Every structure is written in C-alpha cells, then in structure tokens.
C-alpha cells in the first residue's frame, strides 16, 4: 500500500516491481517442459522431421550417436513459452545401450517416443521396430517398477497413465497392450513406398495399422509433400507442446495413412493374410507373433549391419578441428611406430636362444 511520503517516481517503481513479480509467478506456474525421443531406421529421416517441426531451415546432418536439441512454443500473447526437449538416437539398432540415457524417473511423466520407419526398406521394418521398442520398453518398465517400490502412490499413478490414449469404452480395450509411453509411429519416404506393388503396400499398411493400434500409438505416413508435413507437425507438436492433435483419419492403403491413437480398431484392420497352416501352428502364441510370422514370410528380414556402418567421428569432416586433428595425426603416427618397434622386439625374442 502506498505511503503518504512516497513521490510519483516511488509509486511508479513499486507498481512495475509488483507487475514483474506477478508475471514471474505466472510464468513459473504455467510453463511446461516435455521430452520427445526419436528412434528408428538409420537414414530414415529423423533429423529432417525434427528440423521441420522446430522451424529450422538448415540441411540435416548425419546423427552420430545420441543428439539433443530443443524447441519453444508460446501458448498465446504475453504468455511463457513451453519447452520441448528433442532427443535423437542415431545408428538404427546398433546403439540400443544409449536408449536409457534420456529417459529418467524425473521426466518419464512427460516423455514420448517417436518411431520413424523407412517405408522404402520393408525387409528391415519389423526388425528395426521390434528391437527398438523392446529395448525402450524394457528400460521404461524398470523405471516404473523402481518408482513403485519407492513410492507406491506414484507408481500407481504412472500405471494409470498407460493406455490413456485408448478410450475407456473402446471395443479393443482388453485385447491390446498399450506402450507405457505415448508413441507415434511415422512411416517415412512414402514417395518411394508408392512405387511398390499394390498388394505389398496393402500388407505393409495393414501390419503397421495393427502394430500401432496394439500399442495404442498414432500412425502417420509422410514424404516431401506439404500436405503430409502439416499433419505430421500436428501429431509431433501434440507430443512436444500439448497442442491439439489432428482428428483427420485416412486408412486407404493407396493414400498416406493418418490414424491418431484410439481411432482404429481390430475389426477395421482385419486379419493378416495367413493360411490355414499358419493359424494351426502351435508356436504362435499371440496376435503380434502371428502378424510378425506372416510379415516376415512375405518380406524376409535382412541383416541391417548397422554396427558395421558406424563411422569414426574423428574422421568426420563436420567435426574437424585443425589443431586437434594435427595432434591426433601425430599420436596415430607415434602409435604405429610403437607397434612396429614392439613387433620387432617380440620377433627377436622368439628367434633368440632359449635358456633352460
């Protein structure tokens, strides 16, 4: 409350300080942070998608291992900006050990997964999807278990959040196994995918629809088309900034698929193209195993050799540093000289007289 002794300047200063304090309190209470982890095929377009969704007009560079960037979005005029942390795993399935790094017990409540699958490589599709999702789920399940052991109430709350993407009254609620984190599956390079035989495209579309629905995930196909970019941005921004996601649905296998989580059904997807002998075999225990068996019969899996293709970052031009590279070259030469001298020493010892 102003005092009678305050002059006009004192009153103005006091009013500005009061407004600043109010705005700071509002910003702290309304600002949110979310994390989105991009995994998927090597060279599948993960970096390009992140740049597109963060409005960065720059050429994508190969992802070395695990990379981080962030984006900001304002909710409205004079409101604090929400922050999205974007993580990207490079190397396809070769760096599964790095998956636990960005996912922690502190951020798991606001964490999402984006799985990018290269539609132009159908023979690598299931292998990539299965290995990345299994490794991610194993780590997430461990975190949830640890939370439950230390705080049963927090653990129960975390478990309740699983499957929230599927409506409670959905007819398939008891038949699916939702992924423990919000999941978006992106089929990239749709323009190349269109060149495949129509029947093969149909099988790939049905398979990915089943996988996405089974895990309670959203599914979208994308290419260089501006139309595809808009739908993709809507779904990614929903995970990153909590914005309303598109309710547009497209299930025609002759067009890019767009199916937000919870808007598909097993009845609409239909059964896999299985023969009677496939259905009678007793080693298939779950619907997921049946779809995998049928898919890999049509598209035999190929060894991706991800681990063999990892490049030495010290020789990558984008990380060049003149002084460091010169020192590295000198040390490499010293190492080679040491190896040659050591080899000569061992040979001389082997050829020398033996003592009893």
């Amino acid at each position: 409350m102003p005092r009678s002794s305050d002059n006009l300047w004192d009153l103005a200063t006091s009013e500005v300080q009061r407004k600043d304090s109010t705005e700071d309190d509002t910003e702290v209470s309304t600002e949110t942070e979310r994390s989105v982890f991009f995994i998927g095929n090597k060279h599948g377009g993960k970096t390009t998608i992140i740049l597109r969704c963060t409005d960065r007009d720059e050429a994508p560079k190969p992802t070395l291992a695990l990379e981080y960037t962030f984006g900001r979005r304002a909710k409205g005029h004079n409101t604090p900006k929400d922050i999205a942390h974007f993580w990207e795993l490079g190397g396809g399935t070769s760096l599964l050990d790095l998956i636990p790094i960005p996912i922690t017990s502190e951020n798991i409540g606001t964490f999402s997964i984006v799985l990018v699958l290269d539609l132009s490589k159908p023979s690598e599709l299931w292998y990539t999807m299965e290995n990345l999702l299994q490794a991610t789920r194993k780590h997430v399940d461990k975190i949830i278990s640890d939370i439950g052991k230390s705080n049963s109430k927090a653990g129960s709350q975390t478990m309740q959040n699983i499957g929230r993407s599927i409506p409670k009254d959905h007819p398939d609620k008891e038949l699916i196994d939702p992924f423990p984190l919000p999941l978006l599956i992106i089929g990239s390079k749709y323009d190349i995918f269109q060149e495949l035989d129509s029947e093969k495209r149909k099988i790939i579309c049905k398979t990915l629809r089943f996988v996405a629905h089974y895990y309670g995930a959203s599914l979208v196909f994308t290419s260089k088309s501006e139309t595809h970019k808009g739908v993709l941005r809507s779904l990614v921004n929903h995970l990153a900034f909590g914005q309303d996601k598109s309710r547009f649905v497209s299930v025609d296998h002759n067009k890019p698929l767009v199916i937000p989580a919870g808007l598909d059904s097993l009845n609409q997807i239909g059964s896999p193209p299985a023969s009677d002998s496939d259905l009678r075999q007793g080693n298939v225990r779950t619907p997921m195993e049946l779809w995998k068996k049928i898919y890999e019969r049509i598209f035999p899996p190929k060894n991706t050799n991800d681990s063999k293709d990892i490049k030495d970052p010290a020789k990558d031009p984008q990380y060049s540093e003149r002084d460091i590279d010169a020192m590295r070259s000198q040390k490499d030469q010293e190492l080679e000289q040491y190896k040659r001298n050591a080899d000569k020493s061992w040979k001389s010892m082997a050829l020398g007289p033996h003592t009893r």
Side-chain angles (χ1 to χ4, degrees), residues 59-95:
K61 297 179 180 179
T63 302
L64 181 61
L66 183 65
E67 295 195 3
Y68 167 83
T69 188
F70 68 93
R72 294 176 181 270
R73 287 287 187 279
K75 295 179 180 179
H77 184 63
N78 286 334
T79 59
K81 293 184 177 181
D82 290 337
I83 301 173
H85 305 280
F86 293 98
W87 294 87
E88 180 187 356
L89 180 70
T93 58
S94 65
L95 300 171

Side-chain angles (χ1 to χ4, degrees), residues 217-236:
S218 295
L219 174 66
V220 60
F221 286 2
T222 186
S223 67
K224 299 176 182 178
S225 165
E226 289 296 330
T227 303
H228 302 165
K229 291 179 182 178
V231 175
L232 176 64
R233 283 171 61 96
S234 170
L235 293 170
V236 172

Side-chain angles (χ1 to χ4, degrees), residues 8 18 41 45 55 60 66 121 170 210 263 273 320:
L8 184 61
R18 185 187 66 79
N41 283 98
D55 298 319
L66 183 65
K121 300 177 181 178
H170 196 288
F210 169 79
L263 299 185
S320 61

Side-chain angles (χ1 to χ4, degrees), residues 119 187 190 193 204-205 208 219-223 228 255-258:
L119 296 175
Y190 176 78
F193 172 74
I204 294 172
C205 287
L208 287 180
L219 174 66
V220 60
F221 286 2
T222 186
S223 67
H228 302 165
K255 299 178 181 179
L257 295 183
V258 181

Side-chain angles (χ1 to χ4, degrees), residues 150-193:
S150 60
N151 187 332
S152 59
K153 184 176 180 180
S156 299
Q157 182 62 46
T158 304
M159 291 298 295
Q160 289 177 6
N161 291 334
I162 298 175
R164 59 191 172 186
S165 58
I166 303 297
K168 294 181 179 180
D169 58 349
H170 196 288
D172 301 333
K173 187 73 174 180
E174 302 301 323
L175 302 175
I176 60 178
D177 184 19
F179 202 73
L181 295 178
L183 175 64
L184 169 61
I185 299 176
I186 298 175
S188 65
K189 303 185 182 179
Y190 176 78
D191 46 338
I192 302 176
F193 172 74

